[in-house]
Amino acid sequence: LLDGLRFALKLVESESPFSGVLCCQDYVRLFYEGEEKEKIMDFGLTDEQQLLVESLKEYADRYFDDESVRQMYENHQVSAEAQDAYRDAGFPFMGLPEEVGGIPTDHVTLGLMTEKLYEFTGAMTPFMTGMLACADLAEFGTPEQSSVIMEEYEKSGQSVAALCLSEPAAGSDNQGMTMTSKKQDDGTYVLNGQKTWVTNGADVPYLLVICKDEDPARENRNMSLWLVKRDTPGVSTAHLTKLGQHTVPFVDVFFDNVVVTEDQRVGGAGEGWLLLMKNFEFERCLVVAQGLGLAQAAQNDAIQYAKDRIAFNKPIVTNPRVQDLITENETILQQSRWWLYYCLWKLDQGESINADIAMLKSWGTRAHLQVADNCIEIYGGLGYTDEVRVGRIWRDLRGNMLAGGTCEVMDYIAGRAVPKAYK
């Protein structure tokens, strides 16, 4: 890298036609000439990514105006019209394998898509959760299972399967799980137990359920994944009322002697937890991207309000304390954005981001909440009402500190991983 920078300096000092035109990053690329080029991050958008951003903006402007979003939150779901339009634009299929009808997409682009969707809509949506469930089934399921799911997905573009993971006494402590699948004499299996905090569990046609094989004992680490139709006899749900994120409903799901067959198992017997762990890193990236987009939407609103609001005969944006809040927000947004895309870039290089995303998930979700809190402060009393959306964004962002693993668990993961990186 130092050699590359020295080369860059020589170019600047020379009469090279590149002098004064290319940035330092480009000089380094010229020096390395080729094979190392892919290892240098480029934060510029490709033409395709720019078109994607523009399409998302057009979509959000048409279907997520303030009144439409208010109705979605009151009705506890994104409107059918908005979901149909999302499907028709092809957005739901991005990130899925081509062999199941998807559009293969790199992690950086999926992160960009998520961030911008949430910034432009200023609202929680179920779309990325739906894509992740389909991606899991496409990767781990049989061709028949993937086919069934994709047929449903193509009909609506809505979430098709909900992941049933947490239990009342087993959230972060997965070994505390007690739901079981037990094999019967006729070769079928019977599921019994309860899952909680299941996103979209009352609305989707399928449930992706993880439970212990045969024995609920803590020592049993054999867990399997099952694809269960929600209308199977013995399956029932109960609504949970959340503080925020009302467009993405939560439910308890109860399994009372639910009969399934071997062809409903996803992946190998006893491999369920290992399969789910494979995609946890990317899921946490998307949680951060969602929060980043919402925090950016709050910042956009607060700055515009500060420019328009007159107090003491001048816009409050000229007030040093308001400027401090805006600057603190911008610092958080920029730091979060660079770190997020660094993690996504590393995933695209095939590298693990276990420690990075754990630290970012912990710090970033807390920091995004602080951005929204600062925006409420900029609005003053108006920010503490439902007349503007920053309060709703604040409530939504608070949930991200819990989603995909709590901040405390992320600190624990990073605390174990970081020292190992030091030789």
Side-chain angles (χ1 to χ4, degrees):
L1 179 59
L2 289 174
D3 289 340
L5 293 174
R6 292 189 188 100
F7 176 73
L9 182 60
K10 289 180 181 179
L11 277 177
V12 172
E13 293 173 344
S14 72
E15 297 300 322
S16 166
F18 297 112
S19 179
V21 177
L22 300 181
C23 68
C24 178
Q25 176 184 353
D26 293 318
Y27 291 141
V28 177
R29 286 182 169 192
L30 284 171
F31 178 79
Y32 281 120
E33 294 183 348
E35 64 203 29
E36 292 295 328
K37 183 175 180 181
E38 292 182 358
K39 288 294 184 181
I40 299 174
M41 290 180 291
D42 182 354
F43 291 110
L45 298 186
T46 65
D47 291 342
E48 291 80 6
Q49 289 170 334
Q50 186 60 49
L51 180 60
L52 172 63
V53 171
E54 293 170 1
S55 299
L56 288 166
K57 183 68 166 65
E58 181 180 350
Y59 166 76
D61 287 346
R62 180 172 298 182
Y63 297 101
F64 284 81
D65 59 90
D66 288 344
E67 183 55 35
S68 295
V69 172
R70 285 179 187 273
Q71 292 179 8
M72 292 177 192
Y73 273 73
E74 290 175 2
N75 296 333
H76 295 277
Q77 61 181 1
V78 172
S79 69
E81 183 183 21
Q83 298 204 52
D84 288 345
Y86 191 81
R87 173 203 60 202
D88 294 342
F91 298 139
F93 308 104
M94 295 186 64
L96 299 178
E98 187 173 7
E99 56 268 24
V100 299
I103 305 170
T105 311
D106 60 90
H107 292 96
V108 167
T109 300
L110 289 173
L112 174 69
M113 176 180 173
T114 304
E115 179 197 345
K116 289 303 180 182
L117 175 67
Y118 278 71
E119 177 187 349
F120 296 153
T121 62
M124 291 296 297
T125 69
F127 300 130
M128 301 313 292
T129 302
M131 182 276 291
L132 284 173
C134 286
D136 283 344
L137 285 162
E139 183 174 0
F140 309 137
T142 64
E144 292 76 17
Q145 290 168 343
S146 297
S147 177
V148 167
I149 289 298
M150 289 305 298
E151 285 178 8
E152 290 283 349
Y153 202 38
E154 290 170 359
K155 290 177 184 177
S156 64
Q158 301 177 21
S159 296
V160 174
L163 177 60
C164 299
L165 173 59
S166 297
E167 296 183 8
S172 302
D173 177 17
N174 63 85
Q175 279 304 118
M177 188 183 305
T178 59
M179 181 172 170
T180 59
S181 62
K182 294 190 176 184
K183 190 171 185 178
Q184 307 300 296
D185 292 339
D186 62 358
T188 63
Y189 296 81
V190 173
L191 309 185
N192 278 290
Q194 176 186 352
K195 295 295 181 179
T196 192
W197 309 313
V198 179
T199 303
N200 293 321
D203 302 323
V204 295
Y206 288 92
L207 303 169
L208 186 57
V209 187
I210 185 168
C211 57
K212 290 187 174 180
D213 297 342
E214 302 296 333
D215 184 4
R218 185 174 186 83
E219 296 73 25
N220 182 15
R221 295 182 175 273
N222 295 319
M223 306 176 191
S224 291
L225 277 172
W226 299 91
L227 185 61
V228 183
K229 293 198 71 172
R230 187 172 57 83
D231 60 4
T232 302
V235 176
S236 60
T237 63
H239 179 72
L240 294 170
T241 301
K242 294 184 291 183
L243 295 177
Q245 303 189 3
H246 291 161
T247 50
V248 187
F250 265 8
V251 294
D252 281 328
V253 183
F254 303 93
F255 299 85
D256 184 13
N257 293 322
V258 176
V259 178
V260 295
T261 55
E262 184 63 39
D263 61 356
Q264 291 177 257
R265 193 195 300 268
V266 178
E271 298 177 354
W273 184 253
L274 294 176
L275 294 178
L276 289 181
M277 284 181 63
K278 290 183 63 177
N279 288 333
F280 274 174
E281 292 180 357
F282 181 50
E283 178 187 355
R284 288 164 183 161
C285 286
L286 294 186
V287 172
V288 173
Q290 292 170 356
L292 175 59
L294 287 176
Q296 185 67 65
Q299 172 83 327
N300 296 345
D301 290 358
I303 291 177
Q304 187 59 56
Y305 176 77
K307 290 179 178 180
D308 296 339
R309 174 77 166 93
I310 305 298
F312 304 102
N313 295 321
K314 56 185 178 181
I316 65 171
V317 75
T318 62
N319 184 297
R321 179 55 185 147
V322 172
Q323 293 175 349
D324 288 345
L325 292 170
I326 290 173
T327 302
E328 180 185 359
N329 284 354
E330 194 65 22
T331 302
I332 290 171
L333 292 169
Q334 295 287 7
Q335 289 177 334
S336 178
R337 184 170 290 115
W338 302 140
W339 200 352
L340 169 64
Y341 287 100
Y342 171 66
C343 287
L344 292 166
W345 176 83
K346 285 184 73 174
L347 281 180
D348 284 330
Q349 309 309 308
E351 299 178 29
S352 172
I353 58 169
N354 181 50
D356 279 297
I357 193 56
M359 290 185 287
L360 177 55
K361 169 67 172 57
S362 177
W363 172 81
T365 53
R366 288 183 174 113
H368 297 157
L369 186 69
Q370 184 62 55
V371 169
D373 199 74
N374 289 346
C375 290
I376 291 175
E377 196 69 19
I378 292 170
Y379 271 95
L382 181 60
Y384 199 60
T385 71
D386 287 334
E387 297 301 312
V388 293
R389 64 181 182 173
V390 292
R392 186 189 73 228
I393 289 175
W394 186 96
R395 292 192 298 270
D396 287 349
L397 286 172
R398 184 60 182 85
N400 279 4
M401 292 172 61
L402 307 171
T406 65
C407 293
E408 292 75 18
V409 169
M410 296 301 101
D411 293 338
Y412 174 69
I413 292 172
R416 290 185 302 170
V418 170
K420 294 178 182 178
Y422 285 76
K423 305 298 183 182

